[in-house]
Amino acid sequence: MQLRQIMTHAVHAISPEASLRQAAQEMKSCDIGALPVCQHDKLIGFITDRDIAVRAVAEGRNPDSSYVSDVMTPDLIYCYEDEDVAQAAELMEEMQIRRLPVMGRDNRLVGIVSLGDLAIRQRDEQLSGEILGQVSQPARTHA
């Protein structure tokens, strides 16, 4: 099964120049915990509710004068819509991530696949349980 068959197609993205308050409000209104960060129709990062809490609020940043670009994760991990679901699942396990941007072969963002998408839409309970177990492990430390 290809990712395009299970991914969430309606993607809400945000600009790197948006304030953290705007990002949080967008997450609240859409009932989501993460937003792809796009500039000129190009994916440049990802921001999560945890990024806002841990990288901004905990550091005392003002949500109105701090920007998405200040706390987003710029290291992009993504997959392509024509890739197999198992490849994406393996990548999510390996990198311990719960959401993965999905790109078209023209390198434009076309969707997002989450643990929930894998669990609900692909109907492989063993794979879903394995992914959840691996992603939920404590972060690996590098000695």
Side-chain angles (χ1 to χ4, degrees):
M1 179 180 293
Q2 293 183 334
L3 280 174
R4 69 169 53 97
Q5 296 172 279
I6 68 161
M7 71 183 189
T8 299
H9 294 269
V11 179
H12 296 271
I14 196 155
S15 163
E17 293 88 20
S19 72
L20 294 180
R21 182 176 306 279
Q22 289 171 307
Q25 288 171 336
E26 179 75 10
M27 288 178 195
K28 181 180 178 184
S29 71
C30 296
D31 193 28
I32 56 178
L35 291 167
V37 181
C38 294
Q39 186 170 46
H40 307 299
D41 208 25
K42 182 181 178 203
L43 180 66
I44 63 165
F46 213 71
I47 187 167
T48 66
D49 47 7
R50 188 173 192 283
D51 292 330
I52 293 172
V54 175
R55 294 183 183 164
V57 174
E59 293 175 2
R61 291 179 185 253
N62 181 327
D64 294 310
S65 61
S66 294
Y67 302 98
V68 167
S69 60
D70 296 334
V71 299
M72 71 180 195
T73 300
D75 302 326
L76 294 175
I77 298 168
Y78 58 89
C79 52
Y80 291 99
E81 66 181 331
D82 60 357
E83 287 185 67
D84 189 80
V85 169
Q87 288 175 288
E90 188 176 304
L91 181 60
M92 292 171 85
E93 280 183 52
E94 180 183 321
M95 303 305 294
Q96 291 189 301
I97 54 178
R98 297 172 183 270
R99 299 170 195 94
L100 191 58
V102 181
M103 309 292 275
R105 287 294 173 178
D106 60 357
N107 286 324
R108 295 193 188 276
L109 181 68
V110 296
I112 291 181
V113 67
S114 69
L115 286 179
D117 295 327
L118 292 173
I120 293 169
R121 297 186 181 137
Q122 57 100 24
R123 310 241 188 271
D124 183 336
E125 291 180 23
Q126 182 179 352
L127 180 61
S128 299
E130 184 179 313
I131 296 165
L132 182 58
Q134 291 296 319
V135 170
S136 299
Q137 292 294 318
R140 298 178 189 107
T141 57
H142 302 283

